[in-house]
Every structure is written in structure tokens, then in C-alpha cells.
Amino acid sequence: MAFRLSNNVIGALNLVTLLLSAPILGGGIWMATRGDGGECDRHLSSPAIALGAVLMAVSLAGLVGACCRVTWLLWVYLLSMFALIVALLGFTAFAFAVTNRGAGEAVSGRGYKEYRLGDYSTWLQRHVGSSKNWEKIRSCLAGADVCRSLQDRNETWAQFVADGLSPVQSGCCKPPTSCNFTYGGGGTRWGKTARPGSADPDCDEWSNDADELCYGCRSCKAGVVAVLKRDWKRVAIVNVVFLAFIVVVYSVGCCAFKNSRRDSVYRRGGGWKQAGYA
């Protein structure tokens, strides 16, 4: 019957979502349990596990509720979908609000940009710069060897200044240009020179130790914030499209819920006429 089409559509959509949730959940568990996992893996595993588990539970509720016409499961499914829509709306609005400020500054004669923490939104500064969060991020950066590619290049000064650097490499793997340090080769070796007392405080944080470099610098935090800003902006744009899709699915789910209730009334009443649909 035509009015059952919505149940079949909801069942098919939730079957796809259920299949997609399995690798997300499995990947999160794998990152959390593997013996050689670093801080980055452990930091990413919790959101992956939570997302995979929620998607699997909601998909199962929608799939069973639509295919077996279990009214209470569809009710739980619709409530979950409504909560998801509200959460996505809130996150998308928040993401656009905190990513509307800040950009890298071009450096004369350089192929890369440099970043200043104060240029970005206050919330992003506090979120990344807090002692608790920064220790995790710093450990993640060191464990991921984000500066190793610069060391492997072993470039001359002319080659170094001509190449582009990622925001994290620019902020964490070299001292700020204002320090006027002498390039020592190898991408991350610099010689400290005399400088005015009003120079960038990051100059004092710089170390040629591969485990230290400029990981304690504000410029490093700014580079991380720049990447976070870029990624959040992309996620916010994707969320707009995803929200439109979720609203359509929610509408179809409402139809499936109505059909399920209609079938329940039909079974209890012994027919459409007894149920009052004649």
C-alpha cells in the first residue's frame, strides 16, 4: 500500500546508517585499545565510540520500529532525531560564531604565514590555551612528529623561506620571524641572537630540542587554533547540508510513526470501520 512507503524508506535509510555506524564504533574501540596508541589516538577514540554507539542505537530503533511497526520504538527514534536536529542547529550556529575571526598574516619574503593567538575568538583561545587542554594537545603534537617533515627536508635558507608551511608547522616548528634568529639548517635548528627587550616572548620559549621546539609558544597555540577554526568552518558548512537531510528523514519518520499507530488501531479495533476510519 502507498501509505506504507514511508516505513520502507525509513527502514532502508536506517539500515544504511546502521552499516555506517559499525566501522565508526569499531575504529574508535581499536584506537582506544591498541597497545601502541598515542595521545592523539586516545583523544579521538572517545568521540568516535560515542558517535558510533549513538548512531547504532538510533538506527536500530528506527529500523526495527519501521519494519516491525513498533510504535514505541518509532517514538524513541523520533525523539532522538528531534534532539539531534536541535543539537546540530546549536552546534552549527556556535561554530559559525566562533570562527568568524582570525587569519594568518603574510610575512614579507616568506612563502608561509604566521599566526597570532589574539586574532581569534576568545572562546577558541581559552579552549585551546587552557592548561588542561594544551597539555593534551602538546603531547599529541609531539607524538605525531608534526615537525619531522621539516627536519627530513634539510633545506637551505632560500629553500626554507620559499616553501609553504601548515599553520601548526609555522607556529610550533620554528621561532617567530620577529625573533630574528639565525637559520641553522635542518628546518628546526635556529641560533639565538641578541634582541630588544620588547621582542616577542615566544623567543624565550624556543628550543632546538626536538621534543620542545616552540610547543610552549603562543604562536603554536595560534597555529592549532587556525587549524581548528578551518576545520570547524568546514564542519559547519557540511552540517547545513546534513541538517536539511535530517529534516527530510524526520518528516518521513513522522509519517512512519503515523502509519504504525494507524496499524495498531486497526489491529485493536478489528478493522477500519470499527476503528472509525470508514
Side-chain angles (χ1 to χ4, degrees):
M1 296 176 65
F3 74 88
R4 300 185 191 276
L5 179 62
S6 57
N7 295 66
N8 296 331
V9 172
I10 284 294
L13 290 173
N14 282 283
L15 178 60
V16 173
T17 307
L18 181 64
L19 294 175
L20 290 175
S21 67
I24 297 175
L25 180 60
I29 294 174
W30 175 75
M31 285 191 293
T33 58
R34 65 175 183 156
D36 60 342
E39 184 64 36
C40 288
D41 290 340
R42 289 190 290 271
H43 195 60
L44 292 173
S45 62
S46 297
I49 292 173
L51 177 61
V54 170
L55 282 177
M56 184 171 288
V58 173
S59 300
L60 278 172
L63 181 63
V64 176
C67 294
C68 301
R69 295 178 179 83
V70 181
T71 304
W72 72 269
L73 272 179
L74 282 176
W75 178 245
V76 171
Y77 171 73
L78 289 176
L79 283 178
S80 300
M81 290 291 287
F82 181 77
L84 177 61
I85 291 173
V86 173
L88 283 175
L89 277 172
F91 174 77
T92 302
F94 178 73
F96 277 119
V98 300
T99 58
N100 64 348
R101 287 177 50 197
E105 299 177 2
V107 182
S108 178
R110 306 289 192 270
Y112 50 80
K113 294 181 178 181
E114 292 191 339
Y115 302 82
R116 300 288 180 266
L117 190 60
D119 293 342
Y120 296 90
S121 70
T122 303
W123 186 88
L124 281 177
Q125 293 182 48
R126 292 175 178 173
H127 180 69
V128 172
S130 68
S131 299
K132 180 181 178 181
N133 288 340
W134 184 246
E135 284 304 314
K136 294 180 179 178
I137 295 171
R138 179 172 178 163
S139 176
C140 182
L141 293 173
D145 288 331
V146 296
C147 300
R148 178 64 60 83
S149 60
L150 293 181
Q151 297 167 341
D152 292 342
R153 292 178 192 173
N154 198 25
E155 296 175 321
T156 65
W157 171 246
Q159 292 171 326
F160 180 81
V161 296
D163 282 348
L165 299 177
S166 70
V168 172
Q169 288 177 327
S170 176
C172 306
C173 305
K174 67 169 191 60
T177 301
S178 60
C179 296
N180 293 317
F181 288 173
T182 303
Y183 181 68
T188 59
R189 293 195 299 272
W190 298 79
K192 291 188 176 183
T193 57
R195 58 184 179 83
S198 60
D200 193 328
D202 283 352
C203 302
D204 292 327
E205 293 287 342
W206 171 259
S207 170
N208 283 320
D209 186 336
D211 293 327
E212 296 293 333
L213 299 179
C214 217
Y215 291 137
C217 299
R218 286 175 59 84
S219 62
C220 187
K221 296 177 182 179
V224 172
V225 169
V227 173
L228 188 63
K229 171 183 177 291
R230 179 196 65 195
D231 292 345
W232 274 40
K233 181 76 76 174
R234 292 174 178 174
V235 169
I237 294 172
V238 172
N239 273 353
V240 172
V241 179
F242 186 56
L243 267 171
F245 171 76
I246 289 295
V247 169
V248 172
V249 173
Y250 181 77
S251 301
V252 177
C254 289
C255 294
F257 177 71
K258 180 180 178 181
N259 293 342
S260 179
R261 291 191 62 184
R262 191 174 183 181
D263 282 356
S264 297
V265 172
Y266 177 83
R267 287 194 297 269
R268 289 198 305 267
W272 297 117
K273 186 172 182 179
Q274 290 89 337
Y277 288 100

mmCIF file of all heavy atoms in Angstrom, residues 223-247:
data_model
loop_
_atom_site.group_PDB
_atom_site.id
_atom_site.type_symbol
_atom_site.label_atom_id
_atom_site.label_comp_id
_atom_site.label_asym_id
_atom_site.label_seq_id
_atom_site.Cartn_x
_atom_site.Cartn_y
_atom_site.Cartn_z
ATOM 1 N N GLY A 223 48.605 28.490 15.840
ATOM 2 C CA GLY A 223 48.574 27.589 14.692
ATOM 3 C C GLY A 223 47.528 26.503 14.863
ATOM 4 O O GLY A 223 46.805 26.162 13.920
ATOM 5 N N VAL A 224 47.433 25.961 16.083
ATOM 6 C CA VAL A 224 46.416 24.940 16.369
ATOM 7 C C VAL A 224 45.021 25.541 16.254
ATOM 8 O O VAL A 224 44.103 24.928 15.693
ATOM 9 C CB VAL A 224 46.634 24.335 17.770
ATOM 10 C CG1 VAL A 224 45.479 23.414 18.148
ATOM 11 C CG2 VAL A 224 47.951 23.573 17.820
ATOM 12 N N VAL A 225 44.837 26.753 16.786
ATOM 13 C CA VAL A 225 43.537 27.425 16.695
ATOM 14 C C VAL A 225 43.166 27.683 15.237
ATOM 15 O O VAL A 225 41.998 27.530 14.846
ATOM 16 C CB VAL A 225 43.561 28.757 17.486
ATOM 17 C CG1 VAL A 225 42.324 29.585 17.178
ATOM 18 C CG2 VAL A 225 43.638 28.488 18.974
ATOM 19 N N ALA A 226 44.153 28.058 14.411
ATOM 20 C CA ALA A 226 43.878 28.305 12.987
ATOM 21 C C ALA A 226 43.376 27.043 12.293
ATOM 22 O O ALA A 226 42.441 27.092 11.478
ATOM 23 C CB ALA A 226 45.150 28.814 12.298
ATOM 24 N N VAL A 227 43.982 25.904 12.616
ATOM 25 C CA VAL A 227 43.533 24.631 12.041
ATOM 26 C C VAL A 227 42.141 24.283 12.554
ATOM 27 O O VAL A 227 41.266 23.840 11.794
ATOM 28 C CB VAL A 227 44.533 23.504 12.382
ATOM 29 C CG1 VAL A 227 43.983 22.146 11.937
ATOM 30 C CG2 VAL A 227 45.872 23.766 11.707
ATOM 31 N N LEU A 228 41.923 24.490 13.861
ATOM 32 C CA LEU A 228 40.619 24.207 14.450
ATOM 33 C C LEU A 228 39.542 25.088 13.831
ATOM 34 O O LEU A 228 38.435 24.617 13.516
ATOM 35 C CB LEU A 228 40.682 24.433 15.964
ATOM 36 C CG LEU A 228 39.460 24.001 16.783
ATOM 37 C CD1 LEU A 228 39.245 22.510 16.670
ATOM 38 C CD2 LEU A 228 39.658 24.394 18.251
ATOM 39 N N LYS A 229 39.852 26.353 13.649
ATOM 40 C CA LYS A 229 38.908 27.285 13.016
ATOM 41 C C LYS A 229 38.553 26.824 11.607
ATOM 42 O O LYS A 229 37.385 26.803 11.216
ATOM 43 C CB LYS A 229 39.512 28.684 12.972
ATOM 44 C CG LYS A 229 38.723 29.698 12.148
ATOM 45 C CD LYS A 229 39.455 31.031 12.103
ATOM 46 C CE LYS A 229 38.717 32.042 11.219
ATOM 47 N NZ LYS A 229 38.764 31.675 9.795
ATOM 48 N N ARG A 230 39.568 26.446 10.830
ATOM 49 C CA ARG A 230 39.336 25.986 9.456
ATOM 50 C C ARG A 230 38.456 24.736 9.432
ATOM 51 O O ARG A 230 37.495 24.653 8.654
ATOM 52 C CB ARG A 230 40.676 25.680 8.792
ATOM 53 C CG ARG A 230 40.601 25.175 7.363
ATOM 54 C CD ARG A 230 41.905 24.537 6.954
ATOM 55 N NE ARG A 230 42.172 23.334 7.749
ATOM 56 C CZ ARG A 230 43.360 22.747 7.811
ATOM 57 N NH1 ARG A 230 44.405 23.275 7.180
ATOM 58 N NH2 ARG A 230 43.518 21.653 8.543
ATOM 59 N N ASP A 231 38.767 23.775 10.315
ATOM 60 C CA ASP A 231 38.012 22.522 10.321
ATOM 61 C C ASP A 231 36.584 22.728 10.804
ATOM 62 O O ASP A 231 35.643 22.127 10.274
ATOM 63 C CB ASP A 231 38.723 21.492 11.205
ATOM 64 C CG ASP A 231 40.049 21.031 10.608
ATOM 65 O OD1 ASP A 231 40.263 21.284 9.402
ATOM 66 O OD2 ASP A 231 40.863 20.430 11.337
ATOM 67 N N TRP A 232 36.411 23.580 11.829
ATOM 68 C CA TRP A 232 35.065 23.838 12.328
ATOM 69 C C TRP A 232 34.218 24.546 11.275
ATOM 70 O O TRP A 232 33.020 24.294 11.167
ATOM 71 C CB TRP A 232 35.135 24.673 13.606
ATOM 72 C CG TRP A 232 35.316 23.847 14.841
ATOM 73 C CD1 TRP A 232 36.102 22.746 14.985
ATOM 74 C CD2 TRP A 232 34.690 24.061 16.110
ATOM 75 N NE1 TRP A 232 36.020 22.272 16.264
ATOM 76 C CE2 TRP A 232 35.170 23.046 16.974
ATOM 77 C CE3 TRP A 232 33.806 25.006 16.592
ATOM 78 C CZ2 TRP A 232 34.768 22.961 18.309
ATOM 79 C CZ3 TRP A 232 33.405 24.935 17.927
ATOM 80 C CH2 TRP A 232 33.881 23.910 18.763
ATOM 81 N N LYS A 233 34.839 25.435 10.529
ATOM 82 C CA LYS A 233 34.104 26.121 9.462
ATOM 83 C C LYS A 233 33.622 25.119 8.426
ATOM 84 O O LYS A 233 32.477 25.178 7.954
ATOM 85 C CB LYS A 233 35.008 27.163 8.815
ATOM 86 C CG LYS A 233 34.339 27.963 7.701
ATOM 87 C CD LYS A 233 33.382 29.009 8.251
ATOM 88 C CE LYS A 233 34.124 30.191 8.804
ATOM 89 N NZ LYS A 233 33.210 31.294 9.207
ATOM 90 N N ARG A 234 34.483 24.175 8.054
ATOM 91 C CA ARG A 234 34.093 23.151 7.090
ATOM 92 C C ARG A 234 32.978 22.273 7.641
ATOM 93 O O ARG A 234 32.022 21.954 6.928
ATOM 94 C CB ARG A 234 35.311 22.286 6.729
ATOM 95 C CG ARG A 234 36.380 23.022 5.933
ATOM 96 C CD ARG A 234 37.606 22.158 5.754
ATOM 97 N NE ARG A 234 38.636 22.830 4.953
ATOM 98 C CZ ARG A 234 39.848 22.344 4.746
ATOM 99 N NH1 ARG A 234 40.196 21.179 5.281
ATOM 100 N NH2 ARG A 234 40.716 23.000 4.009
ATOM 101 N N VAL A 235 33.116 21.881 8.914
ATOM 102 C CA VAL A 235 32.093 21.044 9.533
ATOM 103 C C VAL A 235 30.756 21.775 9.593
ATOM 104 O O VAL A 235 29.693 21.180 9.365
ATOM 105 C CB VAL A 235 32.534 20.613 10.956
ATOM 106 C CG1 VAL A 235 31.380 19.964 11.711
ATOM 107 C CG2 VAL A 235 33.708 19.644 10.869
ATOM 108 N N ALA A 236 30.790 23.064 9.899
ATOM 109 C CA ALA A 236 29.557 23.849 9.977
ATOM 110 C C ALA A 236 28.850 23.890 8.626
ATOM 111 O O ALA A 236 27.613 23.790 8.549
ATOM 112 C CB ALA A 236 29.865 25.268 10.458
ATOM 113 N N ILE A 237 29.627 24.032 7.547
ATOM 114 C CA ILE A 237 29.032 24.056 6.204
ATOM 115 C C ILE A 237 28.417 22.705 5.865
ATOM 116 O O ILE A 237 27.298 22.618 5.327
ATOM 117 C CB ILE A 237 30.090 24.459 5.163
ATOM 118 C CG1 ILE A 237 30.527 25.908 5.391
ATOM 119 C CG2 ILE A 237 29.556 24.291 3.744
ATOM 120 C CD1 ILE A 237 31.702 26.345 4.544
ATOM 121 N N VAL A 238 29.141 21.624 6.201
ATOM 122 C CA VAL A 238 28.610 20.280 5.957
ATOM 123 C C VAL A 238 27.349 20.055 6.785
ATOM 124 O O VAL A 238 26.389 19.416 6.336
ATOM 125 C CB VAL A 238 29.673 19.216 6.281
ATOM 126 C CG1 VAL A 238 29.073 17.809 6.230
ATOM 127 C CG2 VAL A 238 30.834 19.309 5.299
ATOM 128 N N ASN A 239 27.335 20.587 8.016
ATOM 129 C CA ASN A 239 26.179 20.413 8.887
ATOM 130 C C ASN A 239 24.920 21.037 8.308
ATOM 131 O O ASN A 239 23.807 20.536 8.531
ATOM 132 C CB ASN A 239 26.460 21.031 10.260
ATOM 133 C CG ASN A 239 27.157 20.057 11.189
ATOM 134 O OD1 ASN A 239 27.325 18.888 10.876
ATOM 135 N ND2 ASN A 239 27.579 20.550 12.338
ATOM 136 N N VAL A 240 25.065 22.130 7.584
ATOM 137 C CA VAL A 240 23.900 22.765 6.966
ATOM 138 C C VAL A 240 23.238 21.793 5.988
ATOM 139 O O VAL A 240 22.011 21.627 5.977
ATOM 140 C CB VAL A 240 24.310 24.063 6.244
ATOM 141 C CG1 VAL A 240 23.143 24.616 5.443
ATOM 142 C CG2 VAL A 240 24.794 25.106 7.250
ATOM 143 N N VAL A 241 24.063 21.130 5.175
ATOM 144 C CA VAL A 241 23.543 20.143 4.226
ATOM 145 C C VAL A 241 22.956 18.949 4.976
ATOM 146 O O VAL A 241 21.874 18.452 4.648
ATOM 147 C CB VAL A 241 24.652 19.690 3.260
ATOM 148 C CG1 VAL A 241 24.123 18.636 2.288
ATOM 149 C CG2 VAL A 241 25.215 20.879 2.496
ATOM 150 N N PHE A 242 23.687 18.479 5.993
ATOM 151 C CA PHE A 242 23.233 17.322 6.759
ATOM 152 C C PHE A 242 21.924 17.619 7.485
ATOM 153 O O PHE A 242 21.043 16.745 7.594
ATOM 154 C CB PHE A 242 24.317 16.928 7.762
ATOM 155 C CG PHE A 242 24.028 15.670 8.518
ATOM 156 C CD1 PHE A 242 23.781 14.482 7.847
ATOM 157 C CD2 PHE A 242 24.023 15.659 9.903
ATOM 158 C CE1 PHE A 242 23.524 13.309 8.542
ATOM 159 C CE2 PHE A 242 23.762 14.501 10.608
ATOM 160 C CZ PHE A 242 23.512 13.316 9.924
ATOM 161 N N LEU A 243 21.774 18.848 7.976
ATOM 162 C CA LEU A 243 20.541 19.226 8.654
ATOM 163 C C LEU A 243 19.341 19.134 7.720
ATOM 164 O O LEU A 243 18.265 18.663 8.107
ATOM 165 C CB LEU A 243 20.665 20.651 9.206
ATOM 166 C CG LEU A 243 21.141 20.795 10.650
ATOM 167 C CD1 LEU A 243 21.415 22.250 10.974
ATOM 168 C CD2 LEU A 243 20.112 20.220 11.607
ATOM 169 N N ALA A 244 19.527 19.602 6.482
ATOM 170 C CA ALA A 244 18.442 19.524 5.506
ATOM 171 C C ALA A 244 18.039 18.070 5.290
ATOM 172 O O ALA A 244 16.840 17.737 5.217
ATOM 173 C CB ALA A 244 18.879 20.166 4.190
ATOM 174 N N PHE A 245 19.038 17.176 5.206
ATOM 175 C CA PHE A 245 18.768 15.754 5.025
ATOM 176 C C PHE A 245 18.042 15.180 6.234
ATOM 177 O O PHE A 245 17.066 14.422 6.106
ATOM 178 C CB PHE A 245 20.083 15.006 4.780
ATOM 179 C CG PHE A 245 19.956 13.516 4.779
ATOM 180 C CD1 PHE A 245 19.400 12.855 3.690
ATOM 181 C CD2 PHE A 245 20.398 12.762 5.858
ATOM 182 C CE1 PHE A 245 19.283 11.476 3.685
ATOM 183 C CE2 PHE A 245 20.287 11.388 5.859
ATOM 184 C CZ PHE A 245 19.728 10.739 4.767
ATOM 185 N N ILE A 246 18.507 15.537 7.452
ATOM 186 C CA ILE A 246 17.900 15.015 8.671
ATOM 187 C C ILE A 246 16.445 15.466 8.805
ATOM 188 O O ILE A 246 15.585 14.706 9.252
ATOM 189 C CB ILE A 246 18.716 15.469 9.900
ATOM 190 C CG1 ILE A 246 20.062 14.746 9.939
ATOM 191 C CG2 ILE A 246 17.961 15.205 11.182
ATOM 192 C CD1 ILE A 246 19.962 13.270 10.132
ATOM 193 N N VAL A 247 16.171 16.709 8.422
ATOM 194 C CA VAL A 247 14.796 17.211 8.498
ATOM 195 C C VAL A 247 13.886 16.406 7.576
ATOM 196 O O VAL A 247 12.751 16.071 7.936
ATOM 197 C CB VAL A 247 14.752 18.714 8.148
ATOM 198 C CG1 VAL A 247 13.316 19.175 7.959
ATOM 199 C CG2 VAL A 247 15.429 19.535 9.238
#
